[in-house]
Amino acid sequence: MDKAMRRLTWLGAGVAGVGACVQSCLYNVDGGHRAVIYDYARGVLPDVKGEGTHFRIPILQRPVIMDVRSRPRNVHASTPSKDLQTVNITLRVLFRPVPEKLPSIYTQIGVNYDDVVLPSYTFELLRAVVAQFDASELITQREIVSQQINELLAKRAEESHLVLDDVSLTHLTFGKEFTHAVELKQVAQQEAERARYVVEKAEQIKQASIITAEGDSQAADMLSTAFQNVGDGLIELRKLEAAEEIADNLATSPNITYLPGGKNMLLNIATR
């Protein structure tokens, strides 16, 4: 009985040892990742392992798992413009490594390549591009600025075996002094527009007064000419027209009572 138990114990230990050995020889690569093999005898191997389960030599080889999915990175910079205005700019970069170049990336930069490479030359390119534009041009020509940064950054990223899926300016502000100057300029422009409106309105009122005065003068000249030609006939005609209009108004008014002339008027007066 004791011998059987010992055999089972040794058998279990052997199976466990074999399982541990097999487990140490296998490793998994999840989706969206790649593995670079570091060999303690030969260094970083040129082959890149894809998704799935792979074999390695225990103790001699170590897999380095690296993410190859697109990831965003925000880079902030404060740099002067062409007219020496302080510009606060934020660049959003969507990047990913070239899977076939992962051994070179790991050998030259390391696993944290995005912390080492992107901030350094992105900040350098932002300073170089922003220095070519005035503060006002950075606002009016924002698409051109973004395009130049994208082109230069793509070339530098290619040297580091990175692919840029998207580069965009997400934040662009200026220093307090420039912002205050812009606000004062906008207020001055609004005041100038208001003053111009007042001047134009006064000019229109002046022109209307002149046209009215000219019309009155022409009407007076025409009346004077008419009086000279027909005498007082025109005045008599206007009197008749006014009298006719007054008579019509009185005839239709309910508050007017007509009494016959003379003494032939009968009054409805009750007698006692």
Side-chain angles (χ1 to χ4, degrees), residues 106-167:
Y106 179 72
T107 302
Q108 299 173 5
I109 305 174
V111 178
N112 58 338
Y113 56 89
D114 54 331
D115 294 329
V116 176
V117 174
L118 283 177
S120 60
Y121 60 67
T122 300
F123 183 75
E124 177 185 349
L125 292 176
L126 285 176
R127 291 178 60 90
V129 174
V130 171
Q132 301 176 10
F133 296 88
D134 295 336
S136 58
E137 293 175 346
L138 290 173
I139 299 175
T140 58
Q141 303 180 18
R142 182 166 179 169
E143 293 183 359
I144 298 177
V145 176
S146 179
Q147 183 179 359
Q148 288 190 11
I149 294 175
N150 191 357
E151 292 176 355
L152 295 175
L153 198 58
K155 293 180 181 180
R156 292 293 299 272
E158 186 178 358
E159 297 175 359
S160 302
H161 310 301
L162 299 178
V163 178
L164 302 183
D165 294 328
D166 182 63
V167 177

Side-chain angles (χ1 to χ4, degrees), residues 216-233:
D216 294 341
S217 176
Q218 292 178 0
D221 292 340
M222 294 174 64
L223 288 174
S224 177
T225 302
F227 290 154
Q228 291 176 1
N229 293 333
V230 299
D232 296 336

Side-chain angles (χ1 to χ4, degrees), residues 170 197 214 218 246:
T170 59
Y197 170 75
E214 291 177 351
Q218 292 178 0
I246 293 172

